[in-house]
Amino acid sequence: MDNRVFRRFLVPMRLFALTALVMIAFAANSVLNRMAVHDAGWGPAATGFVRLASGALVLLALAIRAKGTAGLRLPPAILGAGVATLSLYIFGFSIASGLIDAGVGALTLFAMVQITMFAGALWTREAISLWRWIGAGLAFAGLAVLLLPASGGTHIDPRGFALMALAGVGWGLYSLNGRRAGAPLVATALNFALAAALALIWMLGADDWGKGASWGWAPALLSGAVTSGMGYALWYRVLPQIPASLAAIAQLSVPLIAALGGALLLAEIPSARFWLAATLVIGGIALSLRRAP
């Protein structure tokens, strides 16, 4: 095979593999946090702190290698908003992970991210196509389906759902704020480092350090250093090489991967209601990506 033909084949396959790896990392966050808080019995504040602190160490090392210590700068307004919204996400996500299944949590999170970013577009008076209106409506309908009265023994904890929805709002606002950051890797490293300091205060106030089984360290550290820290860093490497629409569509796989991981590792079998809600949410996000004719 000609070397040029081989390279044309190899580069897209490598990019696809890296993108798939990032999506698995994002979905693994739901499963790993569920393992630490629910299965190992760790406190949500302790889990959130370990995740942020270990992620910050990895991200700071990568940012310093790329930009040097002099490059670790960010406008105060952007940094403050990033730390606040990231902390909101970690707070809701960490507590909710102990209350609802991994797949349901990921679905709720991504639906609320979609709705929050849609609201942000309205706030900034961005031109919104009919497809985005329809997509946001379907995503909202998917969340409504998740909250329907339970049947067949299936129940979703309303507090867990509300907290994961709050986490989705936090992540959506964090994503909107990230558009203003010129150096996303540096911004994420600084956001993680300062949010870890806030999580330390939360943990000391909640007094939940040292609770649960000792093996809870493993999923908490993996979620921070690998699936968050290295996962985000890899995502920033992949993003410039793929269209924005493809990047958004790729993330539609995350709730489904999380549901599969929950079924395999946590024996959390998704209900028929979950699949109906997933169809509405993922279909809604996909429709919102369509360009206006």
Side-chain angles (χ1 to χ4, degrees):
M1 181 183 293
D2 185 88
N3 285 337
R4 288 174 296 178
V5 175
F6 180 73
R7 282 196 295 270
R8 287 197 200 103
F9 174 78
L10 182 61
V11 170
M13 288 300 296
R14 181 171 175 270
L15 192 57
F16 174 83
L18 289 175
T19 303
L21 184 61
V22 173
M23 295 307 104
I24 292 171
F26 286 175
N29 275 327
S30 295
V31 177
L32 291 170
N33 277 266
R34 176 75 171 163
M35 291 174 67
V37 179
H38 181 265
D39 290 10
W42 267 44
T47 304
F49 170 71
V50 170
R51 180 183 175 189
L52 285 169
S54 56
L57 290 175
V58 171
L59 288 164
L60 283 171
L62 292 171
I64 291 172
R65 180 181 178 185
K67 301 288 185 178
T69 54
L72 297 181
R73 295 178 181 177
L74 205 63
I78 296 177
L79 180 59
V83 172
T85 53
L86 178 61
S87 297
L88 179 64
Y89 158 71
I90 289 292
F91 174 81
F93 188 88
S94 298
I95 299 176
S97 292
L99 301 173
I100 57 177
D101 291 355
V104 173
L107 184 63
T108 303
L109 181 75
F110 274 79
M112 284 307 300
V113 169
Q114 160 75 1
I115 292 170
T116 300
M117 297 189 74
F118 180 84
L122 285 177
W123 179 262
T124 57
R125 298 183 178 181
E126 178 183 325
I128 299 174
S129 69
L130 177 62
W131 288 116
R132 288 198 68 183
W133 280 102
I134 296 173
L138 282 177
F140 187 81
L143 291 181
V145 167
L146 280 179
L147 288 178
L148 286 174
S151 61
T154 301
H155 174 71
I156 296 175
D157 187 296
R159 189 164 67 103
F161 179 90
L163 284 165
M164 190 62 79
L166 184 67
V169 172
W171 188 256
L173 293 174
Y174 182 77
S175 300
L176 290 170
N177 183 67
R179 292 179 174 180
R180 304 186 295 165
L185 179 58
V186 170
T188 305
L190 293 176
N191 287 331
F192 262 67
L194 293 180
L198 293 180
L200 177 60
I201 297 173
W202 173 33
M203 183 184 70
L204 294 175
D207 193 28
D208 69 0
W209 181 261
K211 294 183 178 179
S214 58
W215 63 265
W217 274 101
L221 281 173
L222 278 174
S223 177
V226 180
T227 59
S228 291
M230 295 182 68
Y232 293 167
L234 184 57
W235 185 228
Y236 290 145
R237 178 183 175 185
V238 170
L239 273 176
Q241 303 177 59
I242 60 177
S245 59
L246 181 58
I249 291 171
Q251 294 182 75
L252 303 184
S253 64
V254 173
L256 302 182
I257 298 172
L260 179 61
L264 293 176
L265 300 176
L266 306 174
E268 297 173 352
I269 307 303
S271 65
R273 183 172 58 164
F274 168 84
W275 292 116
L276 174 59
T279 300
L280 290 170
V281 170
I282 293 173
I285 297 174
L287 281 177
S288 71
L289 298 174
R290 290 195 59 172
R291 294 183 178 179

